[in-house]
Amino acid sequence: ALSGDAGTYRLLILSQVILSLQLPFAVIPLIHFTSDSNKMGAFSNPVWVKIIAWIVAGIIVVLNLKLVLDVLAGWQAATPLLLWLMVLAAVLVMFGVLVYIAGRPLFRLGKVWEGVIIADGQAVASTIRPLPLKHIGVALEHAAGDAEVISAALTLARPQKARLTLLHVVETPGTMVYGKESRSRHNVEDEAYLEALAREIEERDLPVEIMVCFGKPGEEIIKAVKEAGFDLLVLGSHGHRGLEDIIYGQTVESVRHAITIPVLIVRTSGPEQAQHSV
């Protein structure tokens, strides 16, 4: 806009120069890749294709060098020396990178790719071991959907007589600031809720404990898993995504990526709010 039509024309020429400079950086790796029999197998380039490809690549590189040198020569008189030297240094760096890309595969073999996927069913079957479950953590929301989560946990715990720990994270504003030191009606109700559940589902050979944490649900569940030593974590998911993830949170995603034990995700019905008396 400041230089008028002549400036626009020079800018257009410069853009074409920049676009042409990227061609060798795409063509040369493509030739290396398609000529490697370890990667391409029977589809690798025959000798005559390699020769033609390298001739074409050489022509592209030479023409690009001439184009760059012509542009630099045209700028030399009208451009401050320092700026011209900076551009020249950038061009030399790019040329060095291009030489490295072209020469490195010739002196160092790349990764050997497997031609087929090896799947030995007998070998896999011989390593199958039962998953020992001694202690199962059950993350609850104090909502109606907890019934589905507990049902799944009991189904897994009963055959192995595993110990259950019912886990709930209190996330009221007060707990975010004061943690365990914060005592509110919600805290008391959540703890009473877990106690009642534990007494209802506890059996002779199926001990049930409770754990109340305070803070952000994702962080506290991850911390509880590490401290309690669960063999399995069972938690519910409402199946929402996108904008609903922002509104309702995505505890499941943050938890399952941060822990190393198996995770059973139980689909519950719709987003639910924790239930407390008003």
Side-chain angles (χ1 to χ4, degrees), residues 97-246:
V97 172
L98 183 61
V99 171
Y100 174 78
I101 291 174
R104 180 181 180 276
L106 300 177
F107 301 100
R108 181 178 176 183
L109 296 177
K111 176 184 177 182
V112 178
W113 290 11
E114 294 180 357
V116 295
I117 298 176
I118 300 174
D120 188 340
Q122 186 176 1
V124 172
S126 65
T127 60
I128 294 175
R129 299 288 184 273
L131 179 64
L133 298 178
K134 302 296 184 183
H135 191 185
I136 299 176
V138 188
L140 303 176
E141 293 186 339
H142 195 168
D146 289 345
E148 299 166 54
V149 180
I150 295 174
S151 297
L154 287 173
T155 301
L156 296 173
R158 280 173 177 150
Q160 299 201 44
K161 299 179 181 179
R163 178 162 50 107
L164 287 182
T165 294
L166 306 182
L167 168 67
H168 176 70
V169 180
V170 181
E171 52 175 334
T172 59
T175 59
M176 295 296 181
V177 178
Y178 299 107
K180 295 181 180 180
E181 302 301 322
S182 172
R183 296 293 293 176
S184 66
R185 186 171 183 177
H186 283 191
N187 300 14
V188 174
E189 289 181 353
D190 288 336
E191 189 168 347
Y193 169 74
L194 292 185
E195 289 281 2
L197 275 178
R199 300 294 75 83
E200 288 293 329
I201 65 177
E202 188 175 33
E203 302 172 9
R204 177 177 299 177
D205 297 324
L206 188 67
V208 181
E209 303 171 352
I210 68 169
M211 179 183 295
V212 180
C213 303
F214 304 86
K216 296 181 179 179
E219 296 177 1
E220 292 302 320
I221 292 175
I222 294 169
K223 189 185 302 182
V225 167
K226 295 177 180 178
E227 292 177 354
F230 299 141
D231 299 312
L232 173 73
L233 176 67
V234 183
L235 71 167
S237 171
H238 307 301
H240 52 67
R241 60 184 64 184
L243 182 60
E244 289 182 321
D245 269 343
I246 300 175

